[in-house]
Amino acid sequence: MTKKILFILSIIVSSHAFSAEGMWVPGMISKMVADNMESMGMKISLDDIYAINNSSIKDAVVHFNGGCTSVLVSDQGLLLTNHHCGYSRIQAHSSLENNYLKDGFWAMSLSEELSNPGMDATVIKEIRDVTNDMLAELSVEATEAERIEHLTKKSAELIKKVKEETGFEAYVKAFYHGNQYLLFVNEVFTDVRLVGAPPSSIGKFGFDTDNWVWPRHTGDFSVFRIYANADNKPADFNEDNKPYRPNHFLPVNIQGVEKDDFTLVYGFPGTTENYITEAETKHVLEVINPLRLKMREASLGVIDEAMKGSELTKIQYAAKQSRISNAYKKWIGQSKGLIRHKVLDKKDSVEALFAQRIADNQDWNTAYATLISEIKAIEAAKLPLNVNRNYFIEFYYMGPEILRFTEKYRELVAMCKDENITDEAIEAWINEHIDNSGYFKNYDNTVDEDIMKAQIGFFVEDQKPLDFLNNLKSDKESLTAFVDRLYEETLFDNEADLTDFFSTFKRKHYKKIEDDPAYELSLRLAMFYSDVTRPELLKYVTNSDSLMRIWMDAQMLVLPERTYSPDANGTLRITFGKVEGYEPFDGAEYAYYTTLEGVMEKEDPTNPEYNVPERLKELYAAKDYGRYAHSTGEMRVAFVASNHTSGGNSGSPVIDANGNLIGLNFDRTWESTMSDIMFNPSICRNISVDIRYVLFIMDKYAGAKHLVDEMKLVSE
Ligand code: ASP
């Protein structure tokens, strides 16, 4: 082996042997990982973390509406998650009169808790390895298409069987890029009510400026409650439902954390791409991230300006702005981190070592000699289509809302054209859909039009083959004039016009919908994506998926000294680490915790991002922290630790060595956002709100002590 390769190997081995990298599947923890957890201070057993016949911590960890995590903290279904996870629900209940986003909301009794139609909370009952069942009878000669067909059929059979045997729902997910398959048996609760939320000046303190940033002073939590029927089973909202009685809820440790304390984060991380090649990482860095940033800068420019000028727009666009700006800022940090930590070079080194090893081994050489160059070739071919796809996502799904809003009317148009559909059925459809007040409550057509104007140029520039746009535009009409005309002529940007139109709707009027410029643009965009971009992309995706499966398997075989945890895929995981600060850049060192003192230091009454509520200032002045104060007397707000987390881990319980709740994970530091592609234990930190700050805000700030009384507080 050359010196260079030996050096690379030493980096790989040393950085992985004692690091906390990895998002592990509970119930499938290897001895090596378990030993590592123990050596870092964990005192509970693997059975305490995950069991199927007894209650265990897993029963308290709840997938919150499919995107975030939450934790059960009482025997009455009380659920804690982040403020930013509950944000759209808090927003939905807010109005100028009852501005819960601004002022907070606290239900003082069960009867005041607010229902949230359409939302769900999922508890995992069991995780099974079904790799053998999934792959049984799959011929080694099967094409990729046959493989997909086989796997789809098998997973449907397995899910059906679980349902028949247990009555529970289930889903199957691929791990290690299709080298392993796990089945998750689960119970989905649909009556989830809002119990409490601090004002945004606490729950979102620091807003966009502090998002993804440490030191942080945000009380990022909100409170919900799961309700169930008389048998403690899932049921849609009903006055008679009762608070859910979980198999396990987490005791809350009010002792607080110290440096080097063990931490375990239990939750549902969304997506990581830790095993992509150097070539793909380069595309993210040089092509995909820049285009996403360009599109989002355009829409955020419009939204931020509009929100500055009006209280109403601030309420209407708060959740949308957060959704767009959250990933926007993350991608900036991610690109910086990837460059600073020379991730391309590191990926290159791994690939070089791989090439060296296989060159020395006849069998490996036969199997993998062309693997990396094949991956490179396919990535290069896929890139332009990926660019199209990302522009489509940014414009159609994240851009002007009118494009998505008109979507549902495609069904009506199809019904009107179908002779087998009766007039009565059409009338019933209209009655069901005539009320659009929920949508229009949060819609401003001027803002929407300006977003379209800001983005459409970039979009069209990219997707030149959009001939249809030229058909839609009249001769020599500029894009801006086209957008002006679109919003002038469309029915779909005005609630009154729309209701008027449908109140006298006759079947033949469907033509007016079809000719509507917003409807037409939306339909053509969607068709272009589904008929042109997507099928082309899919041709490559199938191949690149199968190469990725082989690449994953090959790395595990050829480079066995590395630790391989499966990429995040929205399933239940644990990740462990310890409470520790870090050195963000040369010459600086960050502490592992922040305090209320820092909230006061950041206070700026002239900047809405840093307002501090009067009541909080009073409590601070009186140092009235009660039992929630740290042993030093200060009020701790947040802390950082070296857990390998991702989006979806928002709201995850941060658990101490004894299995108690010590915080709620809510973010990563700016320097950590690269961890979705490469985790670096010396620099990557997750940010959590100290659970004592959560209790202090509930009890002392909001006067909702009854909620704290529901929990089991421990001090150990
Ligand atoms: N704050 C993040 C999010 O919104 C959590 C993370 O990615 O670490 O997804």
Side-chain angles (χ1 to χ4, degrees):
M1 266 191 240
T2 63
K3 264 194 185 153
K4 184 181 172 210
I5 301 279
L6 272 175
F7 169 70
I8 296 162
L9 186 57
S10 76
I11 299 181
I12 293 174
V13 175
S14 63
S15 69
H16 286 269
F18 300 104
S19 85
E21 174 169 6
M23 301 167 167
W24 306 99
V25 180
M28 296 179 192
I29 308 291
S30 70
K31 165 107 176 57
M32 194 187 88
V33 173
D35 288 349
N36 206 352
M37 290 164 84
E38 215 178 291
S39 70
M40 285 176 77
M42 187 176 80
K43 300 203 182 71
I44 49 174
S45 70
L46 292 183
D47 278 352
D48 294 327
I49 293 174
Y50 174 91
I52 44 176
N53 295 323
N54 302 313
S55 69
S56 64
I57 296 175
K58 98 165 164 16
D59 302 318
V61 184
V62 179
H63 208 178
F64 188 80
N65 215 24
C68 278
T69 306
S70 52
V71 56
L72 287 155
V73 287
S74 86
D75 61 0
Q76 294 297 302
L78 197 65
L79 200 62
L80 297 182
T81 187
N82 290 148
H83 187 263
H84 80 265
C85 294
Y87 201 66
S88 60
R89 302 294 146 173
I90 306 165
Q91 192 268 342
H93 292 292
S94 292
S95 59
L96 281 174
E97 301 74 50
N98 289 314
N99 195 339
Y100 300 142
L101 278 182
K102 184 161 174 284
D103 306 324
F105 166 78
W106 297 96
M108 289 301 165
S109 64
L110 292 183
S111 64
E112 287 177 17
E113 296 178 357
L114 301 173
S115 77
N116 297 289
M119 101 160 264
D120 58 51
T122 304
V123 177
I124 302 295
K125 308 300 282 184
E126 188 184 344
I127 307 173
R128 295 181 198 164
D129 189 333
V130 291
T131 313
N132 290 340
D133 307 80
M134 291 289 284
L135 300 181
E137 298 151 32
L138 177 66
S139 152
V140 273
E141 268 120 49
T143 61
E144 206 49 32
E146 286 164 352
R147 184 185 165 93
I148 293 170
E149 197 186 320
H150 175 89
L151 294 173
T152 312
K153 188 169 144 254
K154 280 284 169 193
S155 74
E157 282 168 19
L158 288 166
I159 291 167
K160 187 162 166 258
K161 198 157 159 242
V162 169
K163 181 109 192 155
E164 280 163 11
E165 283 172 8
T166 66
F168 292 126
E169 305 294 328
Y171 51 80
V172 176
K173 289 265 187 150
F175 285 70
Y176 294 109
H177 296 271
N179 287 291
Q180 187 185 32
Y181 289 89
L182 301 184
L183 176 137
F184 293 77
V185 182
N186 61 69
E187 194 165 33
V188 185
F189 292 87
T190 48
D191 186 356
V192 186
R193 302 186 197 170
L194 177 63
V195 174
S200 294
S201 53
I202 291 175
K204 212 170 152 52
F205 183 74
F207 286 70
D208 274 356
T209 306
D210 276 11
N211 196 17
W212 303 106
V213 164
W214 182 256
R216 191 69 160 274
H217 297 86
T218 315
D220 196 346
F221 76 95
S222 57
V223 193
F224 287 77
R225 192 188 301 281
I226 301 180
Y227 281 74
N229 67 15
D231 300 326
N232 204 31
K233 289 280 163 204
D236 286 342
F237 173 81
N238 187 318
E239 296 285 354
D240 297 336
N241 285 349
K242 297 271 176 302
Y244 169 59
R245 296 182 312 281
N247 284 344
H248 186 76
F249 65 90
L250 285 193
V252 178
N253 184 0
I254 55 166
Q255 184 72 23
V257 297
E258 301 294 346
K259 185 169 179 318
D260 291 334
D261 277 358
F262 173 83
T263 53
L264 185 143
V265 174
Y266 212 147
F268 294 84
T271 312
T272 58
E273 300 179 294
N274 287 153
Y275 302 101
I276 57 173
T277 57
E278 187 261 356
E280 209 173 342
T281 312
K282 201 165 166 157
H283 293 160
V284 172
L285 198 53
E286 292 177 0
V287 184
I288 304 297
N289 276 358
L291 91 75
R292 290 159 157 173
L293 294 178
K294 186 169 73 181
M295 290 296 273
R296 289 194 183 205
E297 243 150 52
S299 57
L300 286 171
V302 173
I303 297 174
D304 288 346
E305 204 45 46
M307 284 173 77
K308 261 190 232 153
S310 141
E311 265 315 298
L312 178 64
T313 318
K314 219 180 264 173
I315 297 176
Q316 289 177 320
Y317 280 76
K320 298 176 214 173
Q321 198 276 354
S322 291
R323 200 162 67 98
I324 300 169
S325 71
N326 190 39
Y328 166 74
K329 204 169 167 193
K330 178 179 83 169
W331 290 324
I332 297 176
Q334 182 183 66
S335 291
K336 283 198 162 160
L338 292 174
I339 294 168
R340 179 161 183 256
H341 294 281
K342 303 193 171 40
V343 171
L344 293 181
D345 289 350
K346 287 182 181 152
K347 295 246 173 203
D348 217 19
S349 303
V350 172
E351 287 161 32
L353 179 62
F354 179 81
Q356 160 96 36
R357 292 246 177 106
I358 62 167
D360 294 341
N361 178 309
Q362 183 68 49
D363 289 347
W364 291 349
N365 202 24
T366 315
Y368 307 130
T370 57
L371 181 59
I372 300 215
S373 55
E374 278 180 65
I375 294 179
K376 272 204 171 112
I378 216 155
E379 284 312 322
K382 220 170 73 179
L383 184 62
L385 293 160
N386 241 331
V387 166
N388 291 167
R389 175 174 174 269
N390 276 285
Y391 270 114
F392 177 71
I393 293 173
E394 291 302 322
F395 189 53
Y396 188 88
Y397 286 111
M398 304 300 297
E401 285 174 275
I402 201 165
L403 297 175
R404 271 126 39 226
F405 178 63
T406 61
E407 246 179 31
K408 68 177 176 193
Y409 296 98
R410 289 178 207 160
E411 188 185 359
L412 177 64
V413 169
M415 286 169 75
C416 293
K417 286 176 167 175
D418 184 342
E419 284 162 11
N420 297 320
I421 305 269
T422 61
D423 288 353
E424 287 71 38
I426 289 170
E427 204 180 314
W429 191 98
I430 288 171
N431 287 338
E432 198 187 319
H433 293 91
I434 198 154
D435 181 10
N436 288 300
S437 53
Y439 169 79
F440 281 104
K441 172 175 172 273
N442 292 322
Y443 181 77
D444 179 319
N445 55 7
T446 314
V447 174
D448 208 47
E449 178 173 346
D450 288 346
I451 294 175
M452 189 178 290
K453 279 185 185 153
Q455 289 190 327
I456 196 166
F458 295 134
F459 182 73
V460 172
E461 178 60 24
D462 166 67
Q463 318 229 344
K464 290 214 179 63
L466 287 179
D467 287 340
F468 67 80
L469 194 61
N470 293 329
N471 299 339
L472 291 181
K473 276 173 42 190
S474 52
D475 260 2
K476 298 211 179 64
E477 188 180 39
S478 71
L479 274 176
T480 313
F482 164 69
V483 177
D484 275 336
R485 184 165 58 78
L486 183 146
Y487 280 86
E488 219 170 272
E489 289 176 8
T490 184
L491 262 180
F492 294 101
D493 70 338
N494 182 310
E495 186 179 5
D497 289 356
L498 202 61
T499 315
D500 228 34
F501 174 69
F502 282 113
S503 55
T504 55
F505 187 83
K506 296 269 157 348
R507 185 174 206 131
K508 61 178 189 244
H509 294 152
Y510 79 85
K511 282 209 173 64
K512 185 149 170 39
I513 303 179
E514 269 194 321
D515 290 341
D516 185 284
Y519 177 88
E520 194 173 1
L521 178 64
S522 165
L523 179 64
R524 301 238 190 177
L525 288 174
M527 276 169 54
F528 184 77
Y529 180 71
S530 63
D531 297 351
V532 182
T533 310
R534 193 161 177 274
E536 271 303 300
L537 191 60
L538 277 181
K539 278 190 213 153
Y540 292 108
V541 166
T542 338
N543 276 338
S544 69
D545 282 357
S546 75
L547 289 174
M548 196 61 203
R549 186 171 67 245
I550 300 169
W551 170 229
M552 188 75 235
D553 194 36
Q555 288 179 81
M556 291 163 93
L557 181 71
V558 175
L559 307 171
E561 63 278 13
R562 301 186 77 193
T563 314
Y564 297 94
S565 84
D567 264 326
N569 58 1
T571 59
L572 188 60
R573 306 293 178 89
I574 57 167
T575 149
F576 56 96
K578 54 182 185 169
V579 174
E580 52 182 330
Y582 67 106
E583 291 174 16
F585 42 81
D586 187 42
E589 202 178 333
Y590 282 161
Y592 69 86
Y593 67 92
T594 58
T595 66
L596 196 52
E597 194 83 32
V599 175
M600 299 306 149
E601 277 170 12
K602 281 183 177 171
E603 190 201 3
D604 179 357
T606 66
N607 180 350
E609 294 193 324
Y610 294 105
N611 285 348
V612 178
E614 279 312 312
R615 171 84 189 126
L616 190 57
K617 286 198 246 183
E618 284 164 23
L619 290 164
Y620 170 71
K623 300 281 172 284
D624 185 4
Y625 308 148
R627 56 189 165 161
Y628 313 116
H630 194 66
S631 54
T632 51
E634 63 201 341
M635 183 73 242
R636 298 255 170 119
V637 173
F639 62 90
V640 278
S642 52
N643 298 79
H644 185 181
T645 55
S646 186
N649 269 125
S650 289
S652 295
V654 186
I655 298 168
D656 67 10
N658 298 311
N660 303 314
L661 186 66
I662 45 174
L664 295 175
N665 178 77
F666 70 93
D667 209 1
R668 280 169 288 163
T669 64
W670 184 243
E671 296 78 16
S672 312
T673 49
M674 63 182 237
S675 70
D676 285 346
I677 293 183
M678 186 179 273
F679 181 79
N680 179 340
S682 68
I683 193 100
C684 293
R685 299 288 176 269
N686 64 309
I687 309 178
S688 306
V689 55
D690 192 309
I691 203 65
R692 294 167 302 173
Y693 190 56
V694 172
L695 302 188
F696 161 75
I697 296 294
M698 274 183 193
D699 178 350
K700 297 275 180 177
Y701 175 88
K705 181 166 174 292
H706 62 287
L707 298 176
V708 179
D709 291 342
E710 253 189 81
M711 303 177 202
K712 181 178 165 198
L713 304 194
V714 296
S715 198
E716 50 186 27

